[in-house]
Amino acid sequence: MIHFLIVGLGNPGDKYKNTRHNIGFMILDALASSFSVSFKDSKKYMESTHTLDGDKVHLLKPLEFMNLSGKATQTLANLYKIPPSQILVVQDEVDLPFGKIKNKIGGGTAGHNGLKDIVAKLGSQEFHRLRFGVGKPEKGGMEVADFVLQNFNAEERNNLDALIKESVTKIEDWIRTNRNLIRKENGG
């Protein structure tokens, strides 16, 4: 049995619900819905598991603030013995224009505090990321930290549902591709 861990980054509480920084939570909610599973609440995180042809896909929304995302990620990775190569972190990315969605393996954290904490707790950068472009504030405008805690603007909201669907498809493709790779490596 292969285990995968999909981690959506965000901040807990209604105040942050529709902010750019919470796109990871929004995408995970849509993924859980497409898998027809719901989240179980623990104090430190929300978790759900989807069984896919005998393999397990664990969905995780850390409920401590963004800069503490590594703790819950490490807890589930250890619990299910999931190596970094089978972890996908869904994050907001200010270095990509709004609506650009990219997969990436490993590398730096580009100042993203959620990623920094995950790298620190896992002791590895070799997990996969789904980077959802949220754009940057205009030059001389607000600070990036304030920008990501703003709600999406009206124009962005008009495109959000389609982009979240596209993200879910990319995650499902990632799971399929990696399952096939692991099966080949293990002679199956």
Side-chain angles (χ1 to χ4, degrees), residues 11-12 21-23 25-26 35 38 40 54 56 60 67 70 81 87 91 117 119 122 140 144 151 159 162 172-173 188:
N11 282 312
H21 223 18
N22 270 35
I23 191 65
F25 279 11
M26 293 177 211
F35 286 160
S38 52
K40 291 184 287 296
K56 300 283 186 192
L60 171 67
N67 57 350
K81 297 174 179 45
I87 297 174
Q91 60 160 112
D117 196 52
V119 168
L122 291 179
V144 170
N151 288 345
N159 298 305
E172 291 169 339
D173 291 346

Side-chain angles (χ1 to χ4, degrees), residues 15-20 23 26 98-99 132-134 147 149-165:
K15 176 181 172 187
Y16 300 105
K17 193 173 164 67
N18 299 308
T19 64
R20 293 179 176 96
I23 191 65
M26 293 177 211
F98 175 79
F132 187 102
V134 294
F147 177 76
L149 293 176
Q150 299 290 313
N151 288 345
F152 287 99
N153 66 37
E155 187 184 330
E156 291 167 340
R157 279 197 307 273
N158 288 338
N159 298 305
L160 210 49
D161 284 347
L163 291 167
I164 288 173
K165 277 192 184 82

Side-chain angles (χ1 to χ4, degrees), residues 39-170:
F39 284 95
K40 291 184 287 296
D41 214 336
S42 93
K43 277 192 170 67
K44 307 269 188 209
Y45 54 84
M46 291 178 80
E47 171 194 10
S48 186
T49 303
H50 172 62
T51 304
L52 188 66
D53 303 327
D55 294 327
K56 300 283 186 192
V57 180
H58 305 278
L59 308 182
L60 171 67
K61 297 192 316 190
L63 290 182
E64 295 184 87
F65 283 89
M66 182 68 77
N67 57 350
L68 299 173
S69 300
K71 212 167 169 186
T73 305
Q74 179 188 37
T75 298
L76 261 67
N78 289 346
L79 182 65
Y80 300 113
K81 297 174 179 45
I82 304 171
S85 62
Q86 289 162 226
I87 297 174
L88 176 69
V89 176
V90 183
Q91 60 160 112
D92 58 305
E93 178 59 71
V94 294
D95 290 331
L96 291 174
F98 175 79
K100 190 113 176 104
I101 304 165
K102 281 190 155 175
N103 284 31
K104 177 183 177 186
I105 303 171
T109 60
H112 193 294
N113 290 329
L115 291 178
K116 276 186 198 166
D117 196 52
I118 291 171
V119 168
K121 296 292 188 297
L122 291 179
S124 172
Q125 296 183 333
E126 296 311 306
F127 53 90
H128 297 242
R129 297 113 195 248
L130 183 77
R131 300 161 65 219
F132 187 102
V134 294
K136 274 191 172 131
E138 291 176 26
K139 284 259 188 276
M142 70 177 72
E143 293 292 319
V144 170
D146 295 327
F147 177 76
V148 295
L149 293 176
Q150 299 290 313
N151 288 345
F152 287 99
N153 66 37
E155 187 184 330
E156 291 167 340
R157 279 197 307 273
N158 288 338
N159 298 305
L160 210 49
D161 284 347
L163 291 167
I164 288 173
K165 277 192 184 82
E166 182 185 336
S167 300
V168 166
T169 300
K170 283 184 181 288

